[in-house]
Amino acid sequence: MKILKLSPTIKDYIWGGTRLTKEFEMVSFTDRQAEAWVLSCHGDGECTIENTDFKGRTLSDVLSNEGKGYLGTNCKKYENFPILIKLIDAKDNLSVQVHPDDEYALRVEGEYGKTEAWYIMDCDDDAEIIYGFKSDITKEEFRKSIEENTLTDYVNRVKVKKGDIFFIQAGTLHAICKGILLAEVQQNSNTTYRVYDYGRLQNGKPRELHVEKALDVTSTKALDASGKPMGETVDKGDYKETLLTECEIFSMKRLDVIEKAEVIADEKSFVSLVALDGNGVVMHEDTCVTLYKGESLFIPAGFGKVEILGAVTVLESRVN
């Protein structure tokens, strides 16, 4: 078992910015860098290994050949790798969209649905997200608002600030709006139903909408969102730990490392560590792996205790 450093896949979407290359020093040959898939075994964008004897191989290839024991007992109930983690730079508004749940997605799309969570790493002063509806509406009213181009009159707009966390259950209408940099932990799915895209054109044509499928899966109940982490921040001396959110699929913690933090990879799940800010190293016995801003490490289940040294803010994610 070894600590694996992952090289991300960069996605160029029309709403993306350039912070991922300028601030995180990620390599890209495109004008925009909308997303970095920093933990991914998805066929639409896999991570490759940067270190060890596995260098140059995809993470999914390593896991297939080295055995699913790397994933942990919590992952045995999943046929495929269960989660996907991204860093997202929204220079412009993302489309208003929704993701299906597992039952619908497996039946219609042949892959998992998508429940996800957003951690706001940075944002403009006036930044906001769309999170469900501001009041209950019917499916018929939802359809009419799409057809009459009045959907944005009904959505719930939530002001955001750095450090906020938002849990987006499958079936929740949502959108990341311009001026937001965030980390997203989600189910391992790339199924998105777009219902509104601000009239934008791509290659001279409007991007495809998926109205009928969205009507099938969207909850039209009113939602409220505070952005507050699920747990209180716990001072552990050399670092602070905050439970951001937890669901039946995954958990997310923020580790604010001042000098040193301990992380234990038990038999239940692998551990993903993504550096959101600052620089550090991860130590295990005679192994030392750098963890600089934007870098992502995969620690196999059952690996035991590792130490994070340095001044670095880390997103720790596990499978439940």
Side-chain angles (χ1 to χ4, degrees):
M1 289 188 179
K2 301 173 183 179
I3 300 173
L4 303 179
K5 178 177 285 191
L6 306 180
S7 178
T9 290
I10 306 296
K11 296 290 186 177
D12 173 17
Y13 301 135
I14 61 174
W15 44 262
T18 57
R19 297 183 69 172
L20 296 177
T21 51
K22 291 181 178 179
E23 297 181 25
F24 294 82
E25 299 184 358
M26 294 182 178
V27 177
S28 174
F29 300 99
T30 59
D31 292 335
R32 296 167 303 219
Q33 301 82 45
E35 298 181 351
W37 293 19
V38 295
L39 174 69
S40 174
C41 288
H42 197 284
D44 289 344
E46 298 205 39
C47 287
T48 54
I49 311 301
E50 288 190 7
N51 64 339
T52 75
D53 297 339
F54 302 138
K55 184 175 181 179
R57 293 168 60 183
T58 64
L59 178 59
S60 60
D61 175 52
V62 170
L63 295 174
S64 295
N65 286 278
E66 298 302 317
K68 288 192 174 182
Y70 269 48
L71 298 179
T73 57
N74 287 352
C75 296
K76 289 183 177 180
K77 58 182 176 285
Y78 299 104
E79 182 179 350
N80 300 315
F81 193 82
I83 63 172
L84 195 161
I85 301 178
K86 304 173 180 178
L87 301 184
I88 297 177
D89 175 21
K91 183 178 180 181
D92 200 356
N93 297 322
L94 276 70
S95 62
V96 182
Q97 56 191 242
V98 66
H99 308 300
D101 62 16
D102 286 345
E103 186 279 326
Y104 188 95
L106 288 169
R107 175 167 51 86
V108 176
E109 307 293 347
E111 70 170 2
Y112 291 123
K114 191 197 290 190
T115 286
E116 61 191 48
W118 301 337
Y119 174 73
I120 309 298
M121 298 166 59
D122 195 17
C123 62
D124 293 346
D125 291 341
D126 58 349
E128 62 183 17
I129 62 171
I130 290 172
Y131 190 90
F133 295 91
K134 58 186 175 183
S135 59
D136 292 358
I137 65 171
T138 65
K139 290 284 186 179
E140 291 73 22
E141 289 171 326
F142 182 30
R143 178 191 290 276
K144 186 177 179 181
S145 73
I146 297 171
E147 293 173 346
E148 296 182 350
N149 204 32
T150 59
L151 176 63
T152 54
D153 294 340
Y154 296 88
V155 298
N156 180 32
R157 297 182 180 275
V158 180
K159 297 292 185 182
V160 303
K161 64 182 183 303
K162 183 176 180 179
D164 280 349
I165 179 77
F166 297 94
F167 180 74
I168 298 96
Q169 184 77 38
T172 302
L173 193 76
H174 62 275
I176 303 168
C177 298
K178 63 182 180 180
I180 295 177
L181 177 72
L182 62 78
E184 176 180 285
V185 179
Q186 59 161 89
Q187 286 181 270
N188 186 18
S189 171
N190 200 28
T191 296
T192 296
Y193 300 149
R194 191 182 300 122
V195 297
Y196 179 75
D197 198 38
Y198 307 93
R200 289 181 293 205
L201 301 180
Q202 187 171 33
N203 299 322
K205 298 179 180 179
R207 294 202 294 172
E208 182 183 4
L209 302 182
H210 313 91
V211 175
E212 295 304 322
K213 289 180 178 180
L215 287 167
D216 286 343
V217 304
T218 303
S219 169
T220 56
K221 298 292 185 181
L223 290 177
D224 190 21
S226 69
K228 183 179 179 181
M230 181 178 288
E232 299 294 330
T233 298
V234 179
D235 191 337
K236 298 201 171 187
D238 291 329
Y239 72 104
K240 296 179 180 179
E241 180 180 283
T242 306
L243 175 63
L244 297 175
T245 193
E246 185 172 27
C247 64
E248 63 180 6
I249 305 161
F250 57 80
S251 66
M252 299 169 62
K253 292 181 179 179
R254 187 185 70 230
L255 307 179
D256 297 300
V257 185
I258 303 167
E259 293 184 0
K260 179 176 69 174
E262 292 185 355
V263 173
I264 298 176
D266 59 24
E267 300 290 344
K268 293 180 180 180
S269 173
F270 67 87
V271 178
S272 167
L273 301 178
V274 180
L276 304 180
D277 198 11
N279 298 311
V281 296
V282 175
M283 301 287 298
H284 175 76
E285 297 176 352
D286 59 349
T287 300
C288 178
V289 183
T290 60
L291 183 59
Y292 296 163
K293 183 177 179 178
E295 290 187 332
S296 171
L297 302 182
F298 176 94
I299 303 175
F303 194 77
K305 183 179 73 174
V306 300
E307 290 186 332
I308 305 172
L309 307 178
V312 57
T313 300
V314 177
L315 177 66
E316 176 200 307
S317 304
R318 302 172 188 251
V319 173
N320 287 337

